[in-house]
Amino acid sequence: GHKFCNAAELLRHTGAAWPEDRQKRFHDMLRRVYVPICRDFFPSANGNWDASMILTLMSIGVHLDDHDLFQRAVEYALHGEGNGAIPRYILPDGVCQESARDQQHTQLGLGYLADACETAWNQGVDLYAAFDNRLATGFEFTAAYNLGEDPPPDVKISPDGRGRFRPIYARVVSHYQGRLGHPVPKSAEAATRTPSDTLQWDHLPWQALMEEKSPRK
């Protein structure tokens, strides 16, 4: 859903020939198909589900200029009951709700939350800083583990998928290090392990090309 909305924003704001009646059909589809699925999130599932719905609902709110939908996603990201809310997906030490499941799903949830934070940032809402930069903490912990560092002895982390980096790190490096001057060295190293032409269906591609101060490989 969020990818449809990003494509639609490009069409609407770059002079593409997109007739008004077809735009309306697309907007109706968002409200009839996506909003009913996403608006109540999925609190009983693993957190990547909630995180994807936060991002999608937020993106729909932006594209439709629907403040209530956008704010619903923001509130859930901060205070939601499900596993995908920022303080529930990422613990204060950086361990994620799916860290003991596998690294694929852990990075999936983190990537969705990072894209949601960027979407909110572009609307003047700073979710990156929420809970003392909790997103950065989660990224740094996950990056360190996938770079080969051992977790604390009392923390059980799944090795499934370890070292297979998803293209999610450039965005947080650009924000924390590029915009704020806040070092995220493990994420920066992980970003260099992900080739710039990596295509991953779950995440927005070409992050290293979109971010001004991302590391390049």
Side-chain angles (χ1 to χ4, degrees), residues 139-155:
F139 263 85
E140 284 293 275
F141 181 93
T142 301
Y145 179 71
N146 282 280
L147 288 166
E149 296 187 17
D150 292 328
D154 58 336
V155 176

Side-chain angles (χ1 to χ4, degrees), residues 19-76:
E20 288 290 333
D21 63 322
R22 296 191 181 184
Q23 291 189 47
K24 183 179 184 304
R25 288 175 61 189
F26 175 69
H27 297 165
D28 289 344
M29 183 273 289
L30 291 177
R31 291 196 182 277
R32 288 187 295 103
V33 178
Y34 278 93
V35 171
I37 293 172
C38 296
R39 64 173 289 109
D40 294 323
F41 307 98
F42 197 173
S44 62
N46 282 300
N48 72 83
W49 288 76
D50 269 351
S52 70
M53 293 175 177
I54 289 168
L55 174 58
T56 297
L57 198 67
M58 189 180 291
S59 300
I60 293 172
V62 171
H63 183 66
L64 298 180
D65 293 321
D66 188 323
H67 182 267
D68 289 341
L69 286 180
F70 175 82
Q71 193 59 34
R72 186 180 184 89
V74 168
E75 288 300 315
Y76 196 89

Side-chain angles (χ1 to χ4, degrees), residues 14 41 70-71 77 101 115 122 129 141 150 161 166 203 205 211:
T14 56
F41 307 98
F70 175 82
Q71 193 59 34
R101 181 185 185 189
D115 285 344
N122 289 333
F141 181 93
D150 292 328
R166 286 182 169 234
H203 307 293
E211 306 300 338

